[in-house]
Amino acid sequence: MGPNGLTRAIELYAEGRTLVQIAREFGVAKKTIRKRLVEGGVVIRRGGRASWESR
């Protein structure tokens, strides 16, 4: 996942995709996506159903 991949992952996350969904798209583990997003300055949303229901 190069710089373009990170930019795309950040965009997807900002659109509301989950870490799992993004990981599947890139063919990597969820923790890899999480690590890269954090390195890119993204604040990770709290997981779980409640966070989605409040939207």
Side-chain angles (χ1 to χ4, degrees), residues 2-12:
N4 291 338
L6 177 58
T7 299
R8 180 66 181 142
I10 291 170
E11 290 170 354
L12 293 171

Side-chain angles (χ1 to χ4, degrees), residues 9-51:
I10 291 170
E11 290 170 354
L12 293 171
Y13 194 71
E15 291 172 4
R17 299 262 188 103
T18 66
L19 295 175
V20 171
Q21 290 170 331
I22 298 167
R24 285 184 186 147
E25 184 164 323
F26 283 93
V28 298
K30 172 184 155 184
K31 71 180 191 175
T32 301
I33 293 296
R34 186 182 193 289
K35 179 181 175 184
R36 291 301 310 266
L37 289 177
V38 169
E39 290 171 353
V42 175
V43 176
I44 302 300
R45 295 185 297 262
R46 186 172 166 193
R49 179 172 277 237
S51 64

